[in-house]
Amino acid sequence: MKKISRIRWLTTLMGLVVLMFTCAGCGQTAAQSNVPKPDASQSRVRIYESMVELEDDSPLIITGEISRTSVIRDIDDITDFTLLDVKVSQTLKGTVNSGSIIVRQTGSAEQGSAETLLQTGDVVMLFLTPTDLPGEQSSQYYVTGATAGVYRVTDDTQQSWNVLRSQHGNASDAWQPVFERVNVDSGMSFHQS
């Protein structure tokens, strides 16, 4: 009787070892799971540990004011994109060929968005990435990391900006803005000096 129990035990043990090696071969390694598949969509969202990482991932960083917004469906018939016409005040990194650029945000006020949609009149600092889309869209930008690269002037400094602009026309020479992360759940404020 002892001999039969021992044989069962060894057989069960060997079966578990074979099963363990078989299952291990089916899983992905860490390197394999990070390789994008050709037909898989890629997210623009990334968690940034520092401003340096965000800056490194952003070929263009600007400050400016949203002069106009519009909504368009130009990628597919379902997804709204809010296009922001941004009047550039200062280029902190990269080159801007004109006084304004177009920034794309996914979604709209009507359709909703996971991103915080910017509005006409918002004074912003934007960390940007080219869209790499074809045609006219190739000159447009996405915000780096979806909302990670969106900083807006705080309400207090926005009011100061409005007063300076009404008294002096162009207030950018006399004004040192404080930008706050739009997504207040993470990130930090950024004082431009």
Side-chain angles (χ1 to χ4, degrees), residues 105 118 125-126 143 146-152 180-183:
Q105 287 191 289
L118 295 171
M125 176 186 298
L126 299 173
V143 174
T147 59
V150 179
Y151 287 76
R152 183 172 35 207
E180 275 187 354
R181 271 290 307 254
V182 168
N183 178 356

Side-chain angles (χ1 to χ4, degrees), residues 62-126:
I62 58 104
T63 61
E65 183 174 357
I66 311 299
S67 59
R68 185 173 57 94
T69 64
S70 59
V71 176
I72 191 168
R73 285 186 182 165
D74 59 351
I75 302 291
D76 59 40
D77 294 335
I78 300 169
T79 310
D80 285 352
F81 288 90
T82 299
L83 300 182
L84 310 169
D85 191 345
V86 183
K87 182 181 176 191
V88 177
S89 302
Q90 188 175 15
T91 303
L92 304 172
K93 180 181 177 185
T95 305
V96 174
N97 295 329
S98 66
S100 66
I101 60 171
I102 302 295
V103 176
R104 299 176 69 89
Q105 287 191 289
T106 305
S108 66
E110 183 178 304
Q111 192 177 65
S113 176
E115 300 177 27
T116 301
L117 296 173
L118 295 171
Q119 308 287 324
T120 300
D122 283 346
V123 177
V124 292
M125 176 186 298
L126 299 173

